[in-house]
Each structure stands twice: as C-alpha cells, then as structure tokens.
Amino acid sequence: MQTPSTQQLRSSHQGKRLWRWMLALCAIVFALQVLAASSHSHDLADQLDDCVACQMASHFPADLPGTPPALLALFLAVAYLLARLPAVPARFSSPRYLIPQRQAPPCIAS
C-alpha cells in the first residue's frame, strides 16, 4: 500500500523526468534546425522562389528610419557617464523593524 506522500513524490519525480525529456526534445529539434539552416545551399541555376527557407530568410521587416548619428552619440555618452557613476549600495531595513510589536489580549477588569 502506498501512502499519499509516496504517490506524490513518485508523480513529482515522473513530472520532472517528463519535463527533462521535453526540454531535451526541444533542444534536439532546435539543433537540427540550426544544422539544416547552416548547410542550406542552392545551385545558381535553381529558382529561389521554390525554396521556403530562402523565402523566409529574405523576408525583411518594413523599412525603419535610420537613427541619426547625433542621437546615437548622445545615447552612448549618457550610457558611458551612467556606467562611470559610483555604485550606491542598496539599503535594507534591519529585521527587527520588520517584526510587529507584541500584542496581548485585552485586560479584563474584574
């Protein structure tokens, strides 16, 4: 006879095992896609319109305006100045201030 805690541990362990297998499967599929994309090639005489991978690779987003050089230089200057500022340590409250005051039940006058 299995106790509920034993069943819970076993199902938890099986869930972790299933999760690991799913992650491993996703990693393998991703690796195969990267391998296929890196070894993709055509002859010069082939039409690229027939290849789905080539169509997806040549699909660029809509034209976006370029960033003006002055704005980029300003951003880099601000980022450099912010990186050079001294680090301010985070201030934490002492744990004794986080504990509420003791409270007793009301006094009953007799």
Side-chain angles (χ1 to χ4, degrees), residues 39-55:
S39 63
H40 182 79
S41 62
H42 289 286
D43 290 335
L44 293 176
D46 287 343
Q47 287 198 2
L48 300 180
D49 295 338
D50 296 336
C51 180
V52 176
C54 291
Q55 288 180 5

Side-chain angles (χ1 to χ4, degrees), residues 99-104:
I99 300 173
Q101 297 292 326
R102 292 189 181 114
Q103 296 179 357

Side-chain angles (χ1 to χ4, degrees), residues 11-54:
S11 66
S12 167
H13 182 66
Q14 288 174 349
K16 288 181 182 178
R17 183 181 294 165
L18 179 64
W19 184 249
R20 286 182 185 166
W21 277 103
M22 291 298 292
L23 286 177
L25 179 66
C26 290
I28 290 171
V29 168
F30 179 72
L32 288 175
Q33 288 178 349
V34 169
L35 181 66
S38 66
S39 63
H40 182 79
S41 62
H42 289 286
D43 290 335
L44 293 176
D46 287 343
Q47 287 198 2
L48 300 180
D49 295 338
D50 296 336
C51 180
V52 176
C54 291

